[in-house]
Amino acid sequence: MSAPKPTTAKKHTAVRRVIRMEEAGINDVRRVGGKNASLGEMIQELASQGIRVPTGFIITTDGYRSFIEEAGLAPLIKKTLKNVSAKNIGVLEKACQTVRNAIEKSAIPVSLQNEITEAYAEMEKQYEKHIDVAIRSSATAEDLPGASFAGGYETYLGIRGKNDVLKAVKSSFASLFTARAVSYRIDKKFDHFAISLSVAIQRMVRTDMGASGVMFTIDTETGFEDVIIINGAYGLGEMVVQGHVIPDEYLIAKHRLHHAACPIIGKKLGAKSSKMIYGPKGGIKPIKVVKTSAKDRARFVLTDEQILTLGRWAEIIEKHYTKKRGAKSPMDIEWGLDGRTNELFILQARPETVQVSKDRGKLKEYILREEGTILAKGFSVGNKIVTGKARVIGSVRDMSALLPGEVLITEMTDPDWEPIMKKAAAIVTDKGGRTSHAAIVSRELGLSAIVGAEPVTRHIKTGQMITVDTTGSEGRIYAGALKFDVRETNIANIPKTRTKITMNIATPDTAFEKSFLPNSGVGLAREEFIIAASVGVHPLALLHYKELEPTLQKKVDALTRGWEDRSAYYVDNLAFGIAKIAAAFYPKQVIVRFSDFKSNEYRSLLGGDVFEPHEENPMLGWRGASRYYDPKFREAFLLECRAMHKVRVTMGLDNAVPMIPFCRTIEEGRKVLETMKDGGLFANLLPHADEMGAAVTPVIVMCEVPSNAILAEEFLGIFDGMSIGSNDLTQLTLGLDRDSGIVNRVADENDPAVKKLISQVIAVCRKNKKYVGICGQGPSDHPAFAKFLVEEGIESMSLNPDSVIKTTIAVAKIESKMKNS
């Protein structure tokens, strides 16, 4: 659709005050991503690629300046704001109110009024009488590196009729002088009169009947670039932007968008407890907030097809801005789903201003050194650990009570909170997602924050000492001031090694952050952590739901909200966890160990006590490979295979390689590989595997039972490599219970018997040109053991992330000495 015809050309040749959005140039509106881009050019290019943008017209920065000048407001503004300090909030608010009142009482010049009403009349001709519009403001000092000013100026939605349009435009002009805006400019040392405002009048997308949200083309907490994060909720987008609701969250592997059928690597159902819709007609705030229905809260706002469409659009927009700016330009984009037409639209786009400016050559790690009582959990913002006294504040009217260094605890924040947010040690809110106001401003200020931690305001009291940990994507608030370490490393100084240094990754939430460590991939990703944290229910309880007691069924129902198929819930959430790790390290190899829960550990999952036996020694019992082909568990294992197939084939993350744990015999190995076929996975070494196409996968086996080492040659006849599990191999070689406090002093990887078996395994793998690695803390805890492994020619050492740097340096020294000896 075309926008209304321009009205300016007839009256103003030198000054562009009201123009079509498609004609907006570099100097007309500043929310365009940089000095070399223009809004009009962007709209035209995006439209040519099928991206819908609701069009309309722009009141340019020239229009704003002419209003200020012709109304004679400049002297009053200068006098009122002279010497005003952002520290004295009372004086600041009074001065700003004076300026806004003066603007609201001033008339828009008749010539400018005429231009605005003529442009609006053109929209009415094109669409309908009293076409409803969104009125969005954009300032010249907005969306700059280090100065995003998220949500700093007013937006008016659902405005109808020329009179209300004129009122909303004037209110937008006045929003340049809210206390939050003036305080922000003072802090950033911006001249109030060097700042200008433009106002966009866009055809309203009926998101009140559909959905809306925000997406980023970068991970907002770690700076990981190969992901697109989408937040969404029902109704108008202000609820997401201002953090009034906990939205749905979707993740897309950006680098697989054009190489896989469905590279959605994460879906998390948000509470979406309320939504903003149209209210009474008339005025400049014709909206209201209502409760979301239980049915809507229990389903996702977007389909997979819509998620992927938004992902493709986000990538196109990022490429457009990157080309125009001549530098990588991750984007912050607002989108809307029209509930009448079911069409998606891009509402606005701006550069991400925090992560893109960070120095990736240095790595700062925060490591918690003790356990504590968890008071609340939510979405992490930042990547720190902070301690401080809590200050619970219920209203913006009481925000002056916050003392420097306290942790601000509140229901949510909006731009009015900005003057005091910088005083906080950290911020925790009941509501909001990772794209809410509290999250965006906290990132810019360098603060840690946890959002969507409901009901934190009822669990924590003012004066209580707490620890805020945002080192994973799930933020945690602990009771008390816990001890932690801070480690800073210059990545450029880390030496290269012949031996591949890989990582053990337990939780997917840390994968994006850990990918910045020097590494050669992941040597051990444990499914157990994903199943416990992201699935939370025994697979057989999902498969045999009808056999459960009603009380247990209700608990399962609560966990599986958003999924009609309970098996799909298990497959999808396990796949999402695996995929997040695989995407973080792509294309490097990520070895994923199938579940290795013991029966007592499986029993701790919801419904587990119904299906699990009681064993005297679960460590040596029904675990690993012995479960996978057993008729009592086989159908559950097939869900794991389906999840792995989804990651490798549907999501296109073929760097994820499955690994079989605790495989006692060759025959057991063959039975597992045959079972995997029914789950869509065809091992490389199965007969006729080369006829299976994309589903063919290499399969690694854990070497943790002495029989694996003794029969290494035979095991390699059916598997593509071996990963030495030094913990279990040590205990079984020496006849130990490693959990025993009495004999565990004997457990040592340096024992000659253990080393002899490991040496044999390495030699056999190298002879057969098969992968051989080790996953365990032995190399980092025992320098002599690391030296032994390097000398034997181990291909890979997989370590816990906090050991990667020190072990890499140690291995480099060992290799250097070997080379020079």
Side-chain angles (χ1 to χ4, degrees):
M1 295 181 181
S2 61
K5 296 176 181 178
T7 61
T8 11
K10 296 180 287 184
K11 299 181 180 180
H12 297 275
T13 54
V15 178
R16 293 159 59 90
R17 301 198 305 189
V18 179
I19 58 174
R20 296 170 66 204
M21 288 177 66
E22 292 96 324
E23 295 181 345
I26 292 171
N27 297 316
D28 296 318
V29 56
R30 283 287 297 155
R31 184 167 291 176
V32 294
K35 63 183 181 181
N36 297 320
S38 76
L39 178 63
E41 182 182 347
M42 183 193 78
I43 290 173
Q44 293 175 40
E45 181 173 328
L46 299 189
S48 71
Q49 299 191 60
I51 298 177
R52 301 183 195 93
V53 178
T55 54
F57 61 97
I58 297 283
I59 302 169
T60 71
T61 51
D62 285 335
Y64 164 77
R65 290 191 189 99
S66 69
F67 165 70
I68 295 296
E69 290 168 7
E70 294 187 40
L73 290 167
L76 179 142
I77 295 171
K78 287 180 180 179
K79 181 180 177 181
T80 305
L81 297 182
K82 186 178 180 180
N83 299 324
V84 168
S85 169
K87 295 179 180 178
N88 192 328
I89 294 175
V91 173
L92 173 68
E93 288 182 337
K94 185 177 180 180
C96 292
Q97 188 64 58
T98 298
V99 174
R100 292 199 307 278
N101 287 343
I103 292 174
E104 295 281 6
K105 291 175 182 177
S106 298
I108 296 176
V110 174
S111 61
L112 182 57
Q113 281 192 44
N114 290 339
E115 293 178 60
I116 294 170
T117 55
E118 285 179 27
Y120 181 72
E122 289 290 340
M123 291 187 73
E124 289 183 307
K125 288 179 184 177
Q126 185 172 0
Y127 299 114
E128 60 182 335
K129 188 71 173 174
H130 299 307
I131 175 71
D132 49 332
V133 294
I135 297 182
R136 306 176 185 276
S137 48
S138 178
T140 52
E142 211 176 351
D143 305 319
L144 302 176
S148 70
F149 197 23
Y153 307 110
E154 295 294 346
T155 293
Y156 299 95
L157 304 174
I159 305 301
R160 299 175 182 138
K162 65 180 182 180
N163 292 333
D164 285 340
V165 167
L166 290 170
K167 289 178 186 176
V169 167
K170 194 159 54 171
S171 293
S172 295
F173 289 162
S175 73
L176 194 60
F177 296 98
T178 59
R180 65 189 185 243
V182 171
S183 168
Y184 196 86
R185 291 197 293 273
I186 291 172
D187 288 342
K188 297 296 181 182
K189 296 181 172 54
F190 293 153
D191 182 346
H192 298 303
F193 282 88
I195 307 300
S196 288
L197 197 78
S198 60
V199 179
I201 290 84
Q202 289 178 288
R203 178 171 69 88
M204 190 73 186
V205 176
R206 294 303 300 271
T207 59
D208 61 303
M209 303 170 68
S212 54
V214 179
M215 56 183 172
F216 283 85
T217 61
I218 190 172
D219 180 53
T220 51
E221 310 320 314
T222 66
F224 179 73
E225 294 183 351
D226 284 329
V227 69
I228 295 168
I229 299 173
I230 303 174
N231 279 180
Y234 294 109
L236 301 173
E238 289 297 287
M239 299 295 282
V240 175
V241 174
Q242 299 297 351
H244 292 271
V245 296
I246 300 174
D248 293 345
E249 182 171 277
Y250 315 101
L251 302 180
I252 300 173
K254 190 195 306 182
H255 51 298
R256 307 311 295 155
L257 262 173
H258 304 289
H259 305 280
C262 187
I264 298 170
I265 62 170
K267 289 172 71 174
K268 187 175 290 185
L269 192 71
K272 307 185 296 291
S273 56
S274 55
K275 62 181 178 179
M276 184 180 287
I277 61 172
Y278 279 14
K281 294 183 179 180
I284 63 170
K285 289 196 174 179
I287 52 177
K288 64 179 181 180
V289 176
V290 298
K291 294 291 184 184
T292 310
S293 70
K295 181 179 179 181
D296 281 347
R297 290 197 301 272
R299 64 187 181 95
F300 290 104
V301 301
L302 293 173
T303 65
D304 284 359
E305 182 180 351
Q306 290 168 334
I307 294 166
L308 292 174
T309 295
L310 286 175
R312 286 189 285 266
W313 288 3
E315 184 188 39
I316 290 169
I317 293 169
E318 181 183 63
K319 287 180 178 178
H320 170 87
Y321 280 96
T322 295
K323 180 180 178 181
K324 291 297 178 185
R325 303 178 83 195
K328 187 72 174 178
S329 185
M331 298 300 293
D332 169 359
I333 303 164
E334 292 185 28
W335 60 270
L337 174 65
D338 193 308
R340 293 184 302 183
T341 65
N342 206 37
E343 292 178 317
L344 288 167
F345 289 84
I346 296 299
L347 305 180
Q348 60 184 23
R350 51 185 167 258
E352 192 276 341
T353 60
V354 178
Q355 292 294 342
V356 72
S357 61
K358 287 189 176 179
D359 180 4
R360 295 296 167 200
K362 293 181 180 178
L363 181 71
K364 183 177 276 191
E365 297 177 276
Y366 289 77
I367 303 162
L368 200 61
R369 286 305 181 197
E370 56 182 330
E371 296 181 358
T373 301
I374 298 174
L375 302 176
K377 300 177 183 179
F379 295 99
S380 279
V381 177
N383 185 22
K384 293 182 180 178
I385 300 174
V386 175
T387 61
K389 287 184 178 179
R391 174 69 64 175
V392 182
I393 299 180
S395 167
V396 70
R397 294 188 301 272
D398 303 318
M399 66 182 182
S400 59
L402 182 73
L403 299 177
E406 290 184 327
V407 178
L408 172 61
I409 310 285
T410 189
E411 182 181 23
M412 62 187 179
T413 69
D414 60 31
D416 288 330
W417 290 80
E418 189 277 332
I420 60 100
M421 290 175 74
K422 64 183 79 67
K423 293 164 59 177
I427 296 171
V428 181
T429 65
D430 277 341
K431 297 180 179 178
R434 291 202 286 166
T435 55
S436 65
H437 173 268
I440 293 171
V441 174
S442 294
R443 287 186 201 103
E444 183 182 330
L445 295 174
L447 297 175
S448 287
I450 297 177
V451 295
E454 195 169 31
V456 67
T457 51
R458 298 200 298 271
H459 284 175
I460 296 176
K461 306 298 181 185
T462 292
Q464 183 176 355
M465 184 62 73
I466 59 174
T467 298
V468 178
D469 181 358
T470 60
T471 54
S473 63
E474 179 185 73
R476 297 183 175 189
I477 302 106
Y478 295 92
L482 302 184
K483 295 177 182 177
F484 63 92
D485 293 337
V486 181
R487 181 187 301 161
E488 189 164 332
T489 306
N490 189 331
I491 300 295
N493 295 335
I494 305 300
K496 304 290 185 183
T497 60
R498 176 195 60 77
T499 307
K500 294 177 182 177
I501 304 298
T502 60
M503 275 184 272
N504 302 330
I505 297 292
T507 57
D509 288 347
T510 64
F512 292 161
E513 176 205 351
K514 301 308 180 188
S515 71
F516 289 104
L517 285 165
N519 71 86
S520 296
V522 175
L524 176 62
R526 302 177 176 96
E527 278 193 5
E528 305 90 76
F529 288 89
I530 303 170
I531 294 168
S534 300
V535 178
V537 60
H538 196 289
L540 293 176
L542 296 172
L543 290 165
H544 298 275
Y545 171 83
K546 293 181 180 179
E547 301 170 21
L548 304 179
E549 295 290 333
T551 54
L552 191 53
Q553 287 182 340
K554 288 182 179 179
K555 292 179 180 179
V556 171
D557 291 342
L559 268 181
T560 57
R561 282 194 325 145
W563 277 265
E564 294 181 5
D565 183 335
R566 297 180 189 88
S567 296
Y569 165 81
Y570 191 95
V571 171
D572 288 352
N573 283 282
L574 178 54
F576 292 152
I578 296 169
K580 197 170 181 181
I581 300 172
F585 293 87
Y586 191 87
K588 299 171 186 173
Q589 180 173 266
V590 171
I591 298 176
V592 182
R593 186 177 71 188
F594 282 130
S595 65
D596 193 24
F597 279 128
K598 290 76 176 173
S599 53
N600 58 320
E601 294 167 338
Y602 256 125
R603 203 160 48 247
S604 67
L605 296 175
L606 182 64
D609 54 350
V610 177
F611 299 97
E612 291 297 322
H614 288 268
E615 296 184 281
E616 290 297 323
N617 190 351
M619 182 71 74
L620 299 179
W622 196 35
R623 60 174 288 200
S626 63
R627 279 181 173 263
Y628 303 157
Y629 59 89
D630 189 313
K632 296 188 295 295
F633 193 81
R634 186 179 187 276
E635 59 183 334
F637 176 63
L638 289 177
L639 298 183
E640 296 183 44
C641 295
R642 283 171 53 193
M644 180 62 72
H645 180 273
K646 182 167 187 170
V647 171
R648 286 181 53 84
V649 179
T650 308
M651 299 177 183
L653 295 164
D654 54 2
N655 60 321
V657 175
M659 179 164 67
I660 311 298
F662 225 76
C663 185
R664 295 173 170 97
T665 69
I666 305 296
E667 182 58 27
E668 195 165 60
R670 290 196 181 97
K671 288 180 178 179
V672 171
L673 296 179
E674 287 295 326
T675 302
M676 288 171 62
K677 285 168 55 178
D678 292 339
L681 297 175
F682 298 86
N684 262 337
L685 300 180
L686 281 177
H688 311 297
D690 57 342
E691 300 171 10
M692 298 299 134
V696 173
T697 177
V699 183
I700 307 295
V701 66
M702 287 284 289
C703 177
E704 52 192 343
V705 180
S707 60
N708 301 143
I710 295 167
L711 297 178
E713 191 85 46
E714 288 80 359
F715 274 99
L716 290 176
I718 59 173
F719 291 108
D720 295 276
M722 303 186 95
S723 180
I724 300 165
S726 57
N727 292 337
D728 275 345
L729 185 61
T730 298
Q731 77 160 344
L732 294 173
T733 301
L734 300 179
L736 302 172
D737 177 356
R738 74 182 187 206
D739 293 330
S740 169
I742 300 173
V743 298
N744 62 4
R745 64 184 181 278
V746 181
D748 186 352
E749 291 93 336
N750 274 308
D751 184 273
V754 178
K755 290 171 72 174
K756 186 172 184 178
L757 289 178
I758 291 174
S759 179
Q760 290 173 2
V761 170
I762 294 173
V764 172
C765 287
R766 293 190 64 182
K767 184 188 76 172
N768 287 275
K769 297 181 179 179
K770 296 289 184 75
Y771 170 83
V772 59
I774 188 167
C775 48
Q777 278 303 98
S780 56
D781 293 343
H782 305 292
F785 186 60
K787 182 174 182 291
F788 157 74
L789 292 171
V790 172
E791 290 173 343
E792 292 296 315
I794 193 86
E795 180 179 338
S796 167
M797 296 183 193
S798 191
L799 313 164
N800 289 343
D802 61 357
S803 303
V804 164
I805 290 174
K806 73 169 186 178
T807 307
T808 300
I809 294 170
V811 168
K813 290 179 179 178
I814 295 168
E815 291 180 351
S816 178
K817 288 180 180 178
M818 289 174 59
K819 185 177 180 180
N820 296 327
S821 62

